Every structure is written in C-alpha cells, then in structure tokens.
Amino acid sequence: MSKGSNKPVPTTALRVEVGWRGGPGVPDADASALLLVGGKVRSDGDFVFYNQPAHSSGAVRHEGKRDVGGRVTDTLLVDLARVEPAVETVVVAASADGGAFGQVPELSIEVKDAARGEVVARFDSTDATVETAFVLGEFYRRQGAWKFRAVGQGYGSGLEGLATDFGITVDEPQHAAPFAPPAVPFSPAPPSPYAAPTPPAPPVTAPFTAPASPPPPAAPPAAPVRLTKVTLTKNAPTVSLAKQGGTSGALRVNLNWQVHKQFSGWGSKLGRAVATHSDLDLDLCALYELADGSKGVVQALGNTFGSLHQPPYIHLDGDDRTGAVATGENLTVNLDYKDAFRRILVFVTIYEGARSFADLHATVTLQPQHGAAIDFSLDECTVPSSVCALALITNNGGDLIVQREARYLIPEHGVSPQRTVDRAYGWGMNWTPGRK
C-alpha cells in the first residue's frame, strides 16, 4: 500500500505486526494501539501498549516481540468483531527506544488474518528521519464495514507526544511550584468607637430536620499512564507477572552482555556477544522446583535442555559456544503451566574463556507472550565470580513474582558453579560432573 491509501479488511481477528530489521546501532521499537471516539480516547484505558497490554473489551491485545533471522516484529491482536460500537477508529502506532525511526531500517506494518495467516494489508514506511513515534496505520468504520488506511505520520516528541495528542494523561515528574510570597494573615478591623451598637437579633428556632446522609466518597482519580518500561533495580527489585498481564503463553528469558577488557566487541539486545575471543562461552541456566516437589536443572551442560509441554515446562533452545549466533541462548518458560511451578532460579555461568564477570555488563530481558517486557540491569561485578544468579521466579498464590537477584557468587576450590548456586538458594540437589 502507498501512504494515504486504504483498503477493506475482514471484520475478524487480525494479527498486526510492526516489523523492522534489527542490528547494531538500530533502536528498539514498540507497537501500541489507541481506540478513538471523535478522534480522542474516552479514557486512558483505550491505550494498549507494553505497560497496559490488553483492552478491557478484549478487542486489542499486545502480544510482544519475536526475532526471526534478524527481522524483529512487535505484534498486536486486533479483533474487529469485538470493538465496541462507539469506537470509530483503532490507531496502530510505534515508538522508538534509543534513537529515531530514521535509524530503523525496513519499518513496516503488516495486517494478517489471525486464523488463516493470509496478509490482507501491508504498508512500508520509507521516509522516516528524526521521528521518535509513528502512526503507521488505522482501522476505521465506513458504512458498516472496516477499512485499513496507511498513515505514516511521525512525531518528534516520542510516545509521550503521541499519547497526549490523542488525549492520554501521561505520568510526569512533579516540579516544585514557583516561589510566591507568603500570604499575610487577615485581621478584621477593630470596631469604630463612633458606631452605634447593633442590638442582638432574636433567636430563631428552626424546624427539626433529620441530618442528611453523608455523600458517598468521591472515586479516586485514575492514575496517569506510565510510559516507562518495567525495570528491576535494587530499590524496586520485584514485579508481578499477573499485574503485567503475563499469565499465560511463553515467557522468554534472554541475556545481553558487553565485553570490555577481556574481550572486544559488543552485545546486541537479543543476547549475543561478538567477541574477538571465540573461546568465551556463557551458559544460560535455570534451577526449578515444581509444585509436586520434583527438582532439576535446565542447561547445556549434560544436554539437559528441558521440555515445554511436559515437566519441567522449561526449555533451553540450544548451546551457543561462540556468541556468534544471532538469537543467542534463550530460555522459555511455558506459563500455561504456571500452577505447576513452585520456584525457578535463572542463572548464568562462565563455561570457559573468562575468569569472572568483572568486565561483563549484562542486561536481562524477560518477555512474557502476553504482557510487558521486564528489563533489569546487573550491577558491575567486582569479585572473581564465575556464576551469577539473575532472577528468582516464585509462585505466590498462583501469581508468579519475579525477583531481581544479581548475585555474583564465588565457587570454592573444586566446587562447580551449579553446586555453588544450589547451596546459596537451598535447592538440595545431588551433583555429578558433566560435560558438553
């Protein structure tokens, strides 16, 4: 489709994929949708994005990102049959994280029939420059049917500017009020000595009236939309997956690291390290304890890669020995079986090529299939550690709570990194030597 053109689309469930070509120096992008009446949202609930992943009507849901061969897509599911009658337009937008859309190659929006997978509309945006947010397309009603229009309108003020333009109340930092001189207290003037005294008024007896019932308390104002992504830090170390909408589907755990002194190169957001030393081998692992009491480990060592659809419902996609694989090493947790989990500890070990994490500055991303991505940075390691506990996921009454750990552990002489993590967290497993 060309910019400004439109075409009919079926009134059914549609997969809307905002896509681009990832790579070094390419900013990340995030898809969002706004449901409009008269060109504005009715409330902040009509804004669907990574921190608010589902509309109350069920008509729009943010499904998250995928990377296939370097082609990254962020997907929204739009069910036009469930859009409320008052809603006239569903706008699909994208915002850039860490740069402008002029740095994002092959930016496009593709609309597919969710059931059959057929492409019903596609628009490639080719004229982006300094914009940090884009309205890529919109669904709108026309004579009882739905059409899709290719828009391609950019904003230089990012997601905040786009959101406020459509009537969203955005959470902003509070600023101090400007200085004002203190008010002078009011003092009534003394009575004039020349004024005649006023005789007191006779008492008035009012008829009895039953006291009125107190008015009901006013509903608290809705909290403004928070545009920042979920980031776990020392001061805010936990997050609920249920509150983020991540209660089913796949939870993908991905590690990004950078090499400074021991190796040269850099790590992409997708978790690979391109280093001059091919001997560097980091392993992403998980200890698990299920609700039935069974325990184990998922890791490349010993080829214990796990399984998604049978216990432990955790799977490691492979062993990247060099860091040169585009998708890196990824753990996937099947949240459809969340009630089967008691706790999961995600950790990383140095298999070979380095003595410690002292020069690896890592960021871990947990991406639920239905919910906001959860990012947290690991503090710089200052000890000779070869194993780092990243995140502890525990089942709390059916809700999975993610706890930032960032614990750099130092194995004793002759003790494996896995046994060291086991001791630190009281897993109580028996360990035997293993190899790849």
Side-chain angles (χ1 to χ4, degrees):
M1 297 177 63
S2 59
K3 186 173 181 177
S5 63
N6 62 76
K7 65 181 303 184
V9 292
T11 305
T12 184
L14 302 171
R15 289 183 62 85
V16 182
E17 297 180 352
V18 175
W20 64 95
R21 175 65 56 182
V26 176
D28 192 18
D30 297 289
S32 58
L34 302 103
L35 289 77
L36 307 182
V37 177
K40 298 286 185 180
V41 297
R42 297 164 296 180
S43 70
D44 293 348
D46 285 340
F47 185 27
V48 177
F49 69 121
Y50 47 76
N51 278 351
Q52 195 164 263
H55 191 261
S56 59
S57 67
V60 182
R61 187 174 72 234
H62 180 243
E63 293 202 324
K65 293 188 176 74
R66 294 186 61 193
D67 183 302
V68 179
R71 178 71 181 176
V72 186
T73 55
D74 197 9
T75 302
L76 296 161
L77 182 64
V78 180
D79 190 346
L80 294 177
R82 300 179 69 176
V83 175
E84 299 153 298
V87 174
E88 303 159 348
T89 310
V90 179
V91 167
V92 179
S95 55
D97 184 5
F101 275 108
Q103 303 166 267
V104 179
E106 302 178 26
L107 178 65
S108 68
I109 179 172
E110 193 167 71
V111 180
K112 298 179 179 179
D113 186 300
R116 295 181 294 177
E118 297 176 355
V119 177
V120 297
R122 180 185 172 97
F123 168 56
D124 292 275
S125 178
T126 59
D127 56 355
T129 54
V130 298
E131 298 85 356
T132 50
F134 248 95
V135 173
L136 290 168
E138 63 181 12
F139 299 96
Y140 64 98
R141 299 182 192 265
R142 181 60 55 87
Q143 297 179 347
W146 284 95
K147 288 189 172 184
F148 176 78
R149 178 185 291 116
V151 178
Q153 175 186 346
Y155 291 75
S157 49
L159 186 59
E160 180 178 351
L162 182 148
T164 54
D165 194 37
F166 287 104
I168 299 293
T169 304
V170 176
D171 188 10
E172 296 180 351
Q174 298 296 316
H175 300 284
F179 173 78
V184 177
F186 171 76
S187 297
S192 168
Y194 303 104
T198 303
V204 177
T205 303
F208 173 77
T209 304
S213 300
V225 171
R226 177 173 54 86
L227 298 184
T228 55
K229 293 184 179 180
V230 181
T231 301
L232 299 185
T233 64
K234 286 183 178 179
N235 295 328
T238 62
V239 68
S240 160
L241 287 183
K243 291 181 179 178
Q244 296 300 320
T247 57
S248 63
L251 169 67
R252 303 188 188 280
V253 184
N254 188 266
L255 175 67
N256 165 37
W257 67 90
Q258 297 183 11
V259 184
H260 289 278
K261 295 179 182 178
Q262 293 165 322
F263 304 94
S264 63
W266 65 279
S268 75
K269 190 170 182 179
L270 296 173
R272 67 189 181 97
V274 182
T276 57
H277 290 240
S278 60
D279 292 336
L280 176 62
D281 187 0
L282 304 184
D283 286 337
L284 191 60
C285 317
L287 282 170
Y288 63 84
E289 181 179 3
L290 301 183
D292 62 6
S294 59
K295 301 176 182 179
V297 65
V298 174
Q299 60 177 6
L301 194 64
N303 296 319
T304 52
F305 291 99
S307 174
L308 271 185
H309 301 291
Q310 60 186 13
Y313 310 113
I314 305 170
H315 182 251
L316 178 68
D317 64 358
D319 179 26
D320 178 10
R321 300 278 185 110
T322 66
V325 179
T327 55
E329 288 189 11
N330 298 274
L331 275 168
T332 304
V333 180
N334 191 342
L335 296 184
D336 291 338
Y337 296 92
K338 64 182 178 63
D339 292 336
F341 298 118
R342 182 172 295 167
R343 57 177 177 160
I344 303 168
L345 179 68
V346 180
F347 65 99
V348 63
T349 68
I350 300 174
Y351 183 72
E352 63 181 358
R355 294 184 298 274
S356 78
F357 290 96
D359 298 298
L360 303 179
H361 300 266
T363 301
V364 175
T365 301
L366 288 82
Q367 175 66 68
Q369 183 174 338
H370 308 303
I374 303 167
D375 299 326
F376 56 96
S377 296
L378 304 181
D379 295 335
E380 184 176 357
C381 180
T382 58
V383 295
S385 168
S386 60
V387 56
C388 179
L390 300 175
L392 181 65
I393 306 173
T394 56
N395 192 325
N396 184 7
D399 183 11
L400 296 182
I401 305 296
V402 180
Q403 166 83 35
R404 175 190 185 271
E405 294 296 311
R407 289 181 63 185
Y408 294 96
L409 304 173
I410 305 175
E412 297 177 1
H413 180 70
V415 178
S416 69
Q418 289 83 354
R419 188 186 297 269
T420 301
V421 173
D422 184 314
R423 290 178 179 177
Y425 288 86
W427 234 264
M429 292 172 54
N430 296 319
W431 297 90
T432 57
R435 64 175 57 187
K436 294 185 179 181

